[in-house]
Amino acid sequence: MSHILTVAAAQMGPIQRTDSRDDVIARMLKLVEGAAHRGAHIVVFPELCLTPFFPRWYYETMEEADQWFDTQWPPAGMQAVLDLARQKGVMLQFSYAEKTPDNHHFNTASLVSRHGEEVLKYRKIHLPGHAEYIAERPLQHLEKRYFEVGNLGFPVRRLDFEGVATFNAGMLLCNDRRWPEAWRELGLQEVDLVMIGYNTPVANLDVKHEQPPHLKVLHSNLVVQAGCYQNNCFAVSVAKAGVEDGHAMFGNSIIVNPFGEIIAQASTWSDELLVADCDLRLCHVNRASTFNFSAHRRPEYYRRIVDQTGWKRPEHTLTV
Ligand code: CDT
């Protein structure tokens, strides 16, 4: 066994409303081809990598929004990508809008073995935005309208990539990466590799506070670097980037090691591959020291984290 898992972040440029599914699939095929050529064992695609980020558009009914949802696994067109990946012997992670046979709607990520089987499914839990149209917003973000909160928790699967490495894999989607609780759920299952897809706009969506664009990059790096460091894992964090439907998404896909260091970073707003070797032994360095969870965690003092959602400030004020 080599202990080295070679991962590829397959950043994608924008997907316009006018692009066909075939156009998108052709781009994904090229990215898989390139990643395999560069020796990748796993290729990770962005959140909602088959469609534009449609939650920026308001639809009165779910029936209208359903045009963006796939009802089958694999989603339409994806079989060609799975076939190529199987032929090249690489694993894939992709994400799409899923409508289940019993009419539930999720923002879903799927991890596929090099034999073409789904080995792990994740349904996004932290859905940002709002459920109703808000006229004052410069840009709608209607994930709470179109998706239900994921019902699978934060699963981690132990995978043996024969002849390469055995590792524990988990997934997050976009806004999830900002929540330490999500990372810790994965970290407590000894996750080695976290795969993250995202669509994050450059524009500040909060009309009450003008946030400069550089903070978007800072915050995205900050949470992924901290998540990896505090949970002893690698992450492949992959953007849909560039100007989609007139709205810019900041891109900046990164691959991060368990020390929190960025080991690969995108430099375009287009389809772009980042490839990095992940020495999985690095995950054990801090597991044996600073972040030895068994030795140092104090869950008896963490109750508030699971019992409480919003803030409760101290009841009394002390005059000083
Ligand atoms: N797709 C996604 O989760 N995007 C969010 C932006 C939300 S702004 C209301 C993110 O956290 O990047």
Side-chain angles (χ1 to χ4, degrees):
M1 257 336 167
S2 71
H3 306 285
I4 308 286
L5 190 70
T6 304
V7 300
Q11 176 174 289
M12 293 176 77
I15 298 175
Q16 308 301 350
R17 205 196 266 259
T18 48
D19 291 345
S20 69
R21 179 64 62 94
D22 286 349
D23 295 334
V24 176
I25 296 295
R27 288 164 58 185
M28 293 177 79
L29 289 170
K30 201 166 160 210
L31 286 161
V32 170
E33 187 84 50
H37 183 71
R38 289 170 63 180
H41 301 117
I42 303 193
V43 188
V44 181
F45 285 100
E47 179 190 37
L48 298 176
C49 64
L50 298 172
T51 60
F53 189 73
F54 64 87
R56 67 169 79 89
W57 301 317
Y58 177 76
Y59 296 104
E60 185 82 36
T61 66
M62 259 335 271
E63 287 66 37
E64 292 168 90
D66 270 350
Q67 64 185 287
W68 301 111
F69 284 80
D70 271 277
T71 53
Q72 310 255 318
W73 195 97
M78 270 308 288
Q79 191 59 56
V81 185
L82 301 193
D83 289 346
L84 177 65
R86 192 174 46 197
Q87 189 194 320
K88 300 285 178 191
V90 300
M91 292 182 67
L92 282 186
Q93 188 266 21
F94 66 93
S95 141
Y96 68 107
E98 176 195 16
K99 180 178 171 183
T100 65
D102 52 349
N103 202 26
H104 291 285
H105 294 75
F106 298 106
N107 187 342
T108 297
S110 184
L111 180 64
V112 184
S113 77
R114 60 174 151 172
H115 308 298
E117 293 138 10
E118 185 181 58
V119 290
L120 186 62
K121 193 192 280 298
Y122 171 67
R123 292 176 173 145
K124 184 172 180 178
I125 288 186
H126 297 95
L127 297 174
H130 45 105
E132 299 304 327
Y133 186 82
I134 302 178
E136 315 81 76
R137 281 180 76 98
L139 180 58
Q140 303 298 307
H141 195 108
L142 292 154
E143 283 195 63
K144 279 187 159 60
R145 183 175 190 84
Y146 303 136
F147 299 121
E148 294 163 55
V149 172
N151 59 358
L152 301 173
F154 294 99
V156 170
R157 192 100 203 246
R158 186 161 178 79
L159 301 169
D160 180 24
F161 197 114
E162 248 184 74
V164 176
T166 301
F167 64 102
N168 303 328
M171 298 186 271
L172 298 175
L173 280 168
C174 199
N175 192 261
D176 286 320
R177 74 193 188 285
R178 305 185 193 279
W179 297 90
E181 296 88 343
W183 285 95
R184 191 58 109 213
E185 275 286 326
L186 299 176
L188 284 167
Q189 297 172 78
E190 217 182 291
V191 76
D192 298 303
L193 178 67
V194 178
M195 288 158 275
I196 306 166
Y198 62 95
N199 285 259
T200 302
V202 172
N204 174 35
L205 301 174
D206 178 356
V207 288
K208 294 185 202 73
H209 178 247
E210 205 57 52
Q211 204 178 73
H214 77 271
L215 286 181
K216 296 282 177 168
V217 177
L218 171 69
H219 294 160
S220 191
N221 287 351
L222 195 63
V223 291
V224 177
Q225 292 180 256
C228 286
Y229 170 59
Q230 293 172 337
N231 294 285
N232 309 307
C233 59
F234 285 88
V236 189
S237 186
V238 189
K240 174 122 64 64
V243 183
E244 192 177 85
D245 181 46
H247 299 287
M249 295 177 289
F250 75 80
N252 191 65
S253 302
I254 51 174
I255 302 176
V256 174
N257 75 14
F259 305 134
E261 295 170 298
I262 295 174
I263 55 174
Q265 186 155 20
S267 53
T268 72
W269 271 11
S270 314
D271 291 4
E272 178 180 346
L273 273 175
L274 317 179
V275 180
D277 288 339
C278 301
D279 183 338
L280 296 167
R281 287 169 298 194
L282 298 188
C283 299
H284 295 290
V285 175
N286 282 336
R287 275 180 197 153
S289 55
T290 312
F291 294 122
N292 178 338
F293 288 175
S294 318
H296 306 309
R297 288 186 78 248
R298 291 287 168 252
E300 65 273 29
Y301 290 108
Y302 306 153
R303 276 251 60 90
R304 203 175 272 126
I305 290 172
V306 286
D307 289 348
Q308 197 175 313
T309 310
W311 300 274
K312 272 189 209 158
R313 63 161 69 127
E315 266 176 45
H316 302 293
T317 304
L318 187 67
T319 304
V320 292

